[in-house]
Amino acid sequence: SSVILCGRLLETALHRRYYDVTGNDILETNPGIGLGTLIAKLKEKGIPFDPAITQQIHLINQSRIYSVHKKQETFMPSRDQTHAIILFTIDAMNKMFK
């Protein structure tokens, strides 16, 4: 559940960042937008993203997807993997709102 919450926190933070930059709530016009697409739209608006942050967000999102949606193999993150995802999330949030 921690991995899922980390993904949701990043999703919420990126939507907020987009709103702060554009004044538009992208959830109203594109409610199913993925995190990668949202990052691309922010980059189009001139918001730079450190490549490490985009990779961290991708890792967190992939972990979340494999934890939530049944795939061929279920992903059950270990305690250490979950801790790493939490640390990546905190780091990404700090860098986004510096």
Side-chain angles (χ1 to χ4, degrees):
S1 62
S2 296
V3 172
I4 295 165
L5 288 173
C6 285
R8 187 65 180 138
L9 281 170
L10 285 175
E11 203 171 64
T12 302
L14 287 167
H15 281 102
R16 176 59 195 215
R17 188 80 168 119
Y18 187 86
Y19 179 80
D20 289 345
V21 170
T22 66
N24 296 320
D25 185 355
I26 199 162
L27 284 173
E28 289 181 6
T29 57
N30 196 346
I33 191 168
L35 294 181
T37 306
L38 191 51
I39 290 170
K41 287 191 172 289
L42 283 164
K43 285 181 180 179
E44 288 173 6
K45 299 293 182 185
I47 303 301
F49 278 90
D50 179 326
I53 292 177
T54 58
Q55 291 303 310
Q56 286 173 216
I57 292 170
H58 179 71
L59 173 70
I60 294 162
N61 193 43
Q62 288 300 306
S63 299
R64 175 181 68 162
I65 289 168
Y66 278 93
S67 296
V68 173
H69 303 292
K70 186 168 181 162
K71 302 288 182 185
Q72 287 180 334
E73 294 181 40
T74 304
F75 176 62
M76 298 289 293
S78 69
R79 180 184 182 105
D80 289 338
Q81 287 171 322
T82 302
H83 187 239
I85 299 250
I86 291 168
L87 292 175
F88 277 149
T89 302
I90 292 168
D91 183 61
M93 299 281 277
N94 285 334
K95 288 179 180 172
M96 274 192 284
F97 292 100
K98 225 177 191 182

